[in-house]
Amino acid sequence: MAKVSIFLITAALIAGMVGCGPVQYNLTIFSTEGGTVTTPGAGTFTYDAGTVVDLVAEADWGYQFVNWIGNASVIADVNAAATNITMNGDCAITANFTPEEIPENLEIRTWYDLDAVRDNLGGNHTLMNDLDSTTAGYEELAGPTANLGKGWQPIGIPNYDLIGLSGSFDGQGHEIRDLFINRPDEIYVGLFGIVDEGGRIENIGVVTANVTGVEMVGGLVGYNHRGTVNNCYAMGSVNGNEWVGGLVGSNYGTVSNSYYSGSVTSDENVVGGLVGYNDNQGTVSNSYATSSVTGNRNVGGLVGHNHGTVSNSYATGTVVGNEWVGGLLGTN
């Protein structure tokens, strides 16, 4: 009888051990807009009790990781994008992302910094030193091999809304050199493609520039839409089809105390040594051009076609065209 009892107890213990595996818990992972959890991923995962699970969250461009929310007490560091969690029960956690905070005021020291201006068009930006072909970021952003041979991408968004610089850019007397732009099929072409209402560019020189576009093309600004260009200059070669200027392609704002020296060429219409087209609300004052200007129609040493105001300004150099050609203004 005793032997039978011992056998039954042993059998019961064996049966219990077979039926009872390790305790397991579920980990469910979510993320807010602006990023993903790359390790272990998004969804529900099952782990043995006590397992330490690595967590890695990655933010999308323009966003930043903030923290982990949910069952945060079991996460080693809720503020770290790369951390771990210990499985002591069922957990649901979320990686929390937010739009990246861009400083309102940028200090520009490299081409990378200059490129970041396009992400903060309403900010106030200051150039801290000269930029040239030896400055970090030139080959990737502003040289002849950048952007599949197109060179610098003009700052501004040339969509239906025409979003441009609405803040300020102060060059502090520094120069941007060796700028290369080869975009013969694009409009709004220049270091700045568009300067919007309230935007202000001053105290900057763009030298040894080689700029090519199709329409609204300038060495500094393609289209100045009610902005201000003051105490600026450009030197080099500017080429386009229509509304082409050495400094500003099309001006609907203010250009003052500025000049251009170099060559300006248009295949067709409205080309000026300083400004291609000066619109009815455009003002050009205290400025000059020492340029060789070549075009077909509306060709001027200072302004190709003036529909606004030009005062206290002059031009020197050769002007060549077929119709409506003038040493100062092509047409007025």
Side-chain angles (χ1 to χ4, degrees), residues 19-89:
C20 298
V23 178
Q24 294 184 317
Y25 296 113
N26 291 328
L27 172 62
T28 303
I29 300 176
F30 306 95
S31 63
T32 63
E33 180 181 1
T36 57
V37 177
T38 58
T39 303
T44 299
F45 307 88
T46 302
Y47 299 98
D48 293 343
T51 300
V52 177
V53 181
D54 290 333
L55 300 174
V56 178
E58 291 187 3
D60 296 336
W61 184 88
Y63 286 81
Q64 59 186 358
F65 174 82
V66 179
N67 58 3
W68 298 93
I69 54 180
N71 297 106
S73 61
V74 292
I75 299 175
D77 186 350
V78 296
N79 297 313
T83 183
N84 61 67
I85 183 171
T86 301
M87 298 302 299
N88 292 323

Side-chain angles (χ1 to χ4, degrees), residues 92-116:
I93 59 174
T94 300
N96 184 26
F97 301 91
T98 189
E100 187 175 12
E101 295 181 4
I102 301 175
E104 182 179 356
N105 304 305
L106 295 180
E107 293 186 348
I108 299 166
R109 293 178 171 83
T110 69
W111 291 98
Y112 297 117
D113 296 336
L114 183 62
D115 189 59

Side-chain angles (χ1 to χ4, degrees), residues 40-321:
T44 299
F45 307 88
T46 302
Y47 299 98
D48 293 343
T51 300
V52 177
V53 181
D54 290 333
L55 300 174
V56 178
E58 291 187 3
D60 296 336
W61 184 88
Y63 286 81
Q64 59 186 358
F65 174 82
V66 179
N67 58 3
W68 298 93
I69 54 180
N71 297 106
S73 61
V74 292
I75 299 175
D77 186 350
V78 296
N79 297 313
T83 183
N84 61 67
I85 183 171
T86 301
M87 298 302 299
N88 292 323
D90 291 332
C91 296
I93 59 174
T94 300
N96 184 26
F97 301 91
T98 189
E100 187 175 12
E101 295 181 4
I102 301 175
E104 182 179 356
N105 304 305
L106 295 180
E107 293 186 348
I108 299 166
R109 293 178 171 83
T110 69
W111 291 98
Y112 297 117
D113 296 336
L114 183 62
D115 189 59
V117 171
R118 71 181 75 253
D119 300 323
N120 189 14
L121 294 171
N124 302 310
H125 312 292
T126 305
L127 185 61
M128 306 304 292
N129 49 258
D130 296 340
L131 304 184
D132 59 26
S133 59
T134 67
T135 307
Y138 178 77
E139 291 186 4
E140 298 92 328
L141 297 171
T145 61
N147 296 310
L148 301 177
K150 293 182 177 182
W152 177 256
Q153 179 183 346
I155 295 172
I157 305 173
N159 59 13
Y160 180 79
D161 297 321
L162 294 181
I163 302 172
L165 179 75
S166 58
S168 66
F169 185 93
D170 184 359
Q172 296 195 120
H174 296 298
E175 292 184 339
I176 294 177
R177 304 170 184 152
D178 309 320
L179 178 69
F180 178 84
I181 303 176
N182 183 28
R183 297 173 180 267
D185 299 321
E186 297 184 20
I187 60 177
Y188 310 113
V189 175
L191 178 68
F192 288 84
I194 304 167
V195 176
D196 219 336
E197 184 171 5
R200 187 176 186 87
I201 300 176
E202 57 188 350
N203 309 320
I204 180 68
V206 178
V207 302
T208 57
N210 187 340
V211 178
T212 299
V214 66
E215 187 174 306
M216 298 191 188
V217 185
L220 179 63
V221 177
Y223 179 38
N224 181 24
H225 181 238
R226 297 181 178 176
T228 298
V229 176
N230 178 58
N231 197 31
C232 297
Y233 61 91
M235 303 171 67
S237 173
V238 178
N239 311 279
N241 193 30
E242 292 188 291
W243 296 10
V244 183
L247 189 73
V248 177
S250 179
N251 179 48
Y252 194 64
T254 299
V255 176
S256 59
N257 306 307
S258 299
Y259 72 89
Y260 176 79
S261 179
S263 65
V264 187
T265 304
S266 167
D267 295 332
E268 186 52 43
N269 187 32
V270 187
V271 54
L274 184 75
V275 173
Y277 179 58
N278 192 38
D279 210 329
N280 60 349
Q281 295 190 31
T283 299
V284 177
S285 64
N286 305 317
S287 300
Y288 67 91
T290 58
S291 313
S292 61
V293 184
T294 304
N296 185 21
R297 301 190 306 275
N298 297 296
V299 186
L302 187 76
V303 177
H305 177 72
N306 177 48
H307 195 59
T309 301
V310 176
S311 63
N312 198 34
S313 300
Y314 69 92
T316 65
T318 59
V319 181
V320 178

